[in-house]
Amino acid sequence: MTYYESGLLRARWASWQDARAGRTAQANARWGWIKAPGERGPILWMQSFSDADQQRLGIELAKAMAEKRRDLRMVMTFETEYPALLEQYTEGAERLGYGFGPCDHPQAVGRILERLMPLRYLALGRAPRPRLAAALGRRKIPAVLMAADPGLQIPAPLEAVYPRDARQAGAWAGRRVTEAVQEPVDFTTLFTIAQVDPNFRTMISGTDEGLLWWTQGLSAAQWAGWRRAWAASPLSRHGLLFLGGTGAPADLPRLSAWQRAPLPAGAVVVADDDRWYPALSAGAQAVHLQNASPMLQWQVYAGSRPISVSPGVTLNAAEPLDADTILTLEKPAQILDHWQALRGDAMAARQRGDATRRIFWQERRHAGERLPEFLQRVFDW
């Protein structure tokens, strides 16, 4: 189960359910029974909560920190496990242990801090919950927060905050921790795949002229509307539509099961494997993001394709974007009409794609300049 707040009975119930289902490690970790890797060296505790992007960020930072400081042991805890991500990216990560983390009950918080005795605490993606924040303060364990909005209780001592963008930096502005708040930076740009073999479009369509269109972030209720709009669109005569999200219909082919054979024009394919996202980002004529994590957004930006988003999507960029760079559209028919117009105006499509790619590279260069500063901080601990 996924309960990680501070309620005693609910946390006990969650652990009982986990143990009953064979998830003994998760049940024990919820109450702080966690062991650090290795035998010697100071410990950094990284908490990545439930976000896959933040787990990936923690892994990549761990690799960089291991190179900078050879004595540091790192423990990354999470509340949702992504086995494929962990298997794919932790290979070669030295002195990194990972597993489920504790709930916010004082017993669990106290136990993990006693067992780890961390030199520092690093929160990824959100601020620590109130009981943990208070316990860090009582034990005088300095905290570093990365890509996190302010929490109900700010841990003290607070060593540094690395906001992801200007919006997040603004959220910290009134919290009386000005000296700790750093200039916005998004380190996930450093491991976004920026160069992709361009053959995907030809392979999946069977022709150099094959047109690919991609929408990501659908809910279960939105698939039928997209399929109807696609069937009625002229784009379906010569192109392929890739749809990603939750609740995909069982009758649609999956990209994860693609056998490297061309698909017929008009096909609708479920984009269910993130390993293909870089190829889709570079190969699609245009991309619409119904909902998307920051990491996926950077991947799409790097693909240099025109992008549109649904209302409510928070866009990546350290500074606010020009409204003409990424359009806000909502209904499938409206989006398909926009794509049809882009097909007839190749210059406009290229200009918009180039604009988002420039944003990506600007942020990536900035992150590359800031990473040595962060690593020096780690070295100085």
Side-chain angles (χ1 to χ4, degrees):
M1 294 184 68
T2 59
Y3 183 79
Y4 284 91
E5 302 298 331
S6 59
L8 175 62
L9 294 181
R10 289 196 62 186
R12 291 289 186 194
W13 172 255
S15 287
W16 182 79
Q17 292 281 72
D18 284 335
R20 187 181 180 190
R23 298 187 294 268
T24 306
Q26 184 174 4
N28 292 338
R30 184 177 282 104
W31 288 98
W33 297 106
I34 293 170
K35 183 180 179 181
E39 298 181 356
R40 295 182 180 180
I43 291 174
L44 168 66
W45 176 20
M46 299 185 290
Q47 194 174 23
S48 64
F49 303 96
S50 295
D51 191 319
D53 282 7
Q54 302 309 323
Q55 284 185 34
R56 175 76 190 284
L57 174 60
I59 293 167
E60 299 301 332
L61 288 177
K63 293 176 181 177
M65 289 186 288
E67 290 293 324
K68 185 69 174 181
R69 184 159 177 174
R70 307 298 298 181
D71 66 332
L72 188 66
R73 293 182 289 164
M74 291 159 285
V75 175
M76 183 178 72
T77 62
F78 44 72
E79 296 163 10
T80 301
E81 185 176 28
Y82 299 92
L85 182 151
L86 293 168
E87 181 180 357
Q88 182 176 358
Y89 295 110
T90 57
E91 184 177 355
E94 299 179 9
R95 301 184 303 285
L96 171 64
Y98 55 85
F100 285 100
C103 68
D104 202 42
H105 189 276
Q107 290 181 11
V109 167
R111 182 173 291 122
I112 189 173
L113 292 178
E114 288 175 6
R115 292 175 70 84
L116 296 183
M117 292 188 292
L119 175 68
R120 289 294 191 280
Y121 166 81
L122 173 59
L124 301 169
R126 61 164 289 176
R129 295 186 175 91
R131 272 67 174 186
L132 175 56
L136 292 169
R138 288 192 301 271
R139 295 170 183 259
K140 295 181 169 45
I141 300 171
V144 177
L145 276 57
M146 189 171 291
D149 290 330
L152 295 175
Q153 181 171 337
I154 296 175
L158 180 63
E159 179 177 321
V161 177
Y162 288 86
R164 193 176 68 82
D165 52 26
R167 179 204 61 79
Q168 200 167 76
W172 283 97
R175 301 304 294 269
R176 301 181 182 178
V177 290
T178 305
E179 293 183 358
V181 179
Q182 310 296 304
E183 182 183 355
V185 61
D186 193 339
F187 289 122
T188 62
T189 56
L190 294 176
F191 47 87
T192 300
I193 298 175
Q195 303 294 336
V196 180
D197 188 331
N199 292 330
F200 174 71
R201 182 189 304 173
T202 302
M203 290 172 60
I204 201 163
S205 67
T207 172
D208 291 338
E209 289 76 34
L211 304 178
L212 314 183
W213 312 92
W214 181 24
T215 291
Q216 188 68 26
L218 300 187
S219 66
Q222 294 172 321
W223 292 81
W226 266 97
R227 294 177 75 175
R228 287 193 299 269
W230 174 250
S233 171
L235 295 176
S236 65
R237 299 171 192 163
H238 305 287
L240 303 174
L241 176 64
F242 295 84
L243 299 177
T246 59
D251 64 310
L252 292 179
R254 266 58 177 170
L255 187 54
S256 60
W258 178 48
Q259 299 298 313
R260 308 298 197 274
L263 300 178
V268 178
V269 183
V270 179
D272 63 336
D273 188 341
D274 60 8
R275 290 177 297 181
W276 288 106
Y277 289 173
L280 275 172
S281 299
Q285 304 300 119
V287 181
H288 180 79
L289 299 176
Q290 194 88 19
N291 186 17
S293 69
M295 191 178 297
L296 176 56
Q297 286 189 48
W298 286 130
Q299 187 62 72
V300 173
Y301 284 20
S304 191
R305 293 294 182 264
I307 303 168
S308 58
V309 298
S310 293
V313 173
T314 301
L315 295 170
N316 286 0
E319 301 297 334
L321 295 176
D322 188 324
D324 293 334
T325 301
I326 299 180
L327 302 184
T328 299
L329 304 171
E330 188 168 9
K331 296 181 179 180
Q334 181 186 25
I335 297 162
L336 289 166
D337 287 346
H338 169 63
W339 288 349
Q340 183 70 44
L342 285 175
R343 187 185 177 194
D345 192 346
M347 181 62 71
R350 175 171 295 182
Q351 289 174 347
R352 288 183 49 209
D354 289 346
T356 53
R357 185 169 176 83
R358 281 195 299 271
I359 293 167
F360 164 74
W361 279 105
Q362 176 183 335
E363 297 297 329
R364 186 177 179 127
R365 284 192 293 269
H366 179 61
E369 293 166 357
R370 296 288 304 284
L371 183 61
E373 168 200 321
F374 171 75
L375 294 177
Q376 186 61 45
R377 180 187 298 276
V378 173
F379 184 80
D380 293 339
W381 288 343

